[in-house]
Amino acid sequence: MTSDQVLERSVTACMSNAAVTLREDLSIDHALAALRALHADVAGHHALYFYVVNARDQLVGVLSARALLLSPAETPVGSLATRCLITLSPRDTLF
């Protein structure tokens, strides 16, 4: 497959369903506890960012692993999330 053919495929052909989400209303302490409980399910993943979702499981931001690990325990996940997101439709292509 040529590089042009790869770029013309839909984004869904290039993405993975493996993602770890955190609710925006969780404290850092509760988010870390939830991740520890998921350890067996995410052990093979190298997460640098976590997807932050609202109560309806809608993406509202991303949280870096660094921010998660270095923030005070009582801080809400949502207050640390980067909310300026660039999103793509499943029909979009890479080019």
Side-chain angles (χ1 to χ4, degrees):
M1 183 177 294
T2 68
S3 60
D4 286 343
Q5 289 172 320
V6 170
L7 293 175
E8 291 174 4
R9 295 182 350 191
S10 71
V11 294
T12 56
C14 303
M15 64 186 214
S16 167
N17 289 340
V20 178
T21 61
L22 298 171
R23 288 273 305 269
E24 66 181 336
D25 57 346
L26 288 177
S27 67
I28 292 296
D29 195 37
H30 285 114
L32 289 170
L35 290 172
R36 288 184 193 107
L38 287 174
H39 175 70
D41 294 335
V42 297
H45 299 34
H46 300 282
L48 298 176
Y49 288 90
F50 299 94
Y51 297 104
V52 179
V53 296
N54 63 18
R56 295 182 305 219
D57 277 338
Q58 297 169 317
L59 180 66
V60 296
V62 294
L63 179 67
S64 72
R66 178 183 174 89
L68 180 66
L69 294 172
L70 298 179
S71 297
E74 67 282 352
T75 306
V77 165
S79 71
L80 298 171
T82 299
R83 293 180 181 264
C84 182
L85 303 173
I86 298 172
T87 61
L88 299 171
S89 159
R91 295 178 303 278
D92 289 338
T93 62
L94 297 176
F95 184 66

